[in-house]
Amino acid sequence: MSTRTMACLRARLPQLLTALLVAGCAAVVQAAAPLVRTQAPGYYRLMVGDVEVTALSDGTAMLPVKDLLINATPEEIARGLSRAYLDSPAETSINGFLVNTGAKLVLIDTGTGGAMGPTTGKLLDNLKAAGYLPAQVDEVYITHMHGDHIGGLSTGGVANFPNAVVRASKAEADFWLDPAHLASAPAEARSGFAQAEAAFAPYVKAAKFKTFDGDIELVPGIRAVGTAGHTPGHTSYLVASQGSQLLVLGDLIHVGSVQFPKPTVAMKFDSDSSAAIAQRIKTFDRAAQGGYWVAAAHLPFPGIGHIRAENGGYTWFPANYSLPH
Ligand SMILES: [Zn+2]
């Protein structure tokens, strides 16, 4: 560097330092934006013919799936999870589905009510974020009476859906809501029966709990489909409009990465795992052959997509993101 250049730089040093300082401050201001760390509101809209379906997230729970799945070796479970970039415990969605037929507003399953920790219990907030109010719900249909599906029915003995009639299959109600079953249940199973009794109590008291028997149409456009196995009266619901169908599966599947490729893998807490497997295969075949939309309580939110039968199992195609139009 020449003496002249050095002298020039020395003369300009204060301006250069100021420029560097300003650039540094600007960088600091940008880095100081705090992390937001919240998720988008948990609802997703889909039209099925003329019927509007809104998937509602209740949140997620960490499921120790390697300890819960049966009929698979630990290696098969690990391989299925790792292919999907998952591990055990696996963060697992809890989804409900709000169906507006144009004549009736029907909620299928109500989430946990927060019973599975602070990442759960968000279904009511998401129903409101989706533009509805709990008081507008005309009917609530329950796929089965496990806590993560009925926990949102009531809070502290008060109905969360004050104008709704609640419906479930007779077999499911007979199993969970019979006081004799609570009394005779082993200690570790008692809380499930007690939780069901408490969740339904305000509706039973107001004569707003009604059971149904068999595969019947409950309101125009929504039909019950018996899929007993996971629980004694487990029920799926078929929404149909203008030649389009959506089958709300309930708990016919929990861990897609393992159970789609090998549908004979079952859950420890199935009340009859052979029946649960048979219903999974029968219902998946029906949905695959018919090209139905399906909506599942525990597939990644929104849990809506299509099923294709291939390679001795099934492949899951999540809904292509779509805006209402
Ligand atoms: Zn469940």
Side-chain angles (χ1 to χ4, degrees):
M1 204 178 284
S2 72
T3 321
R4 196 164 156 230
T5 313
M6 289 282 283
C8 178
L9 272 176
R10 210 170 293 131
R12 292 190 57 202
L13 204 56
Q15 292 101 305
L16 280 170
L17 278 174
T18 308
L20 279 171
L21 222 60
V22 168
C25 283
V28 167
V29 167
Q30 274 176 7
L35 305 186
V36 178
R37 297 179 66 94
T38 56
Q39 192 48 277
Y43 68 87
Y44 181 75
R45 213 89 72 180
L46 175 82
M47 292 303 292
V48 177
D50 292 337
V51 172
E52 182 200 72
V53 176
T54 308
L56 299 175
S57 173
D58 188 64
T60 64
M62 298 305 286
L63 221 59
V65 293
K66 73 176 169 50
D67 304 322
L68 295 175
L69 292 170
I70 57 170
N71 295 349
T73 63
E75 293 74 30
E76 281 176 312
I77 295 169
R79 206 180 314 130
L81 290 171
S82 78
R83 265 195 82 232
Y85 298 92
L86 294 171
D87 207 342
S88 180
E91 187 168 4
T92 302
S93 290
I94 302 158
N95 311 319
F97 299 94
L98 187 67
V99 183
N100 190 342
T101 68
K104 292 281 183 190
L105 186 62
V106 179
L107 175 64
I108 303 177
D109 284 344
T110 67
T112 63
M116 292 175 76
T119 56
T120 66
K122 301 178 188 305
L123 187 136
L124 280 181
D125 284 347
N126 284 323
L127 182 145
K128 291 174 201 160
Y132 289 100
L133 293 170
Q136 293 177 301
V137 175
D138 298 303
E139 311 237 337
V140 178
Y141 299 162
I142 298 297
T143 61
H144 64 296
M145 296 192 186
H146 282 161
D148 53 323
H149 299 257
I150 59 170
L153 272 174
S154 54
T155 305
V158 178
N160 285 333
F161 305 98
N163 300 315
V165 170
V166 178
R167 300 183 195 272
S169 82
K170 184 170 183 307
E172 192 70 2
D174 286 351
F175 181 77
W176 291 101
L177 300 177
D178 182 342
H181 288 172
L182 169 61
S184 64
E188 67 274 14
R190 212 161 283 167
S191 66
F193 289 98
Q195 193 182 9
E197 197 273 330
F200 284 89
Y203 301 94
V204 171
K205 197 169 162 215
K208 285 182 163 178
F209 176 58
K210 299 195 187 311
T211 61
F212 56 83
D213 215 353
D215 293 6
I216 60 163
E217 189 171 62
L218 297 168
V219 290
I222 308 180
R223 176 174 283 277
V225 181
T227 46
H230 179 59
T231 59
H234 187 279
T235 303
S236 304
Y237 295 94
L238 181 65
V239 177
S241 170
Q242 305 289 337
S244 296
Q245 289 91 358
L246 172 133
L247 195 49
V248 180
L249 300 178
D251 277 13
L252 285 182
I253 186 161
H254 292 85
V255 187
S257 56
V258 180
Q259 291 176 293
F260 276 124
K262 192 177 177 192
T264 52
V265 178
M267 262 309 197
K268 251 183 199 162
F269 46 77
D270 289 334
S271 57
D272 177 344
S273 58
S274 303
I277 291 163
Q279 291 292 0
R280 176 162 41 257
I281 292 169
K282 181 179 154 194
T283 310
F284 283 12
D285 283 345
R286 179 181 181 185
Q289 281 159 17
Y292 295 178
W293 285 108
V294 300
H298 299 305
L299 292 179
F301 180 77
I304 292 177
H306 286 94
I307 292 172
R308 193 175 290 284
E310 54 192 9
N311 306 323
Y314 302 92
T315 307
W316 170 242
F317 294 89
N320 182 42
Y321 181 70
S322 171
L323 294 173
H325 49 264

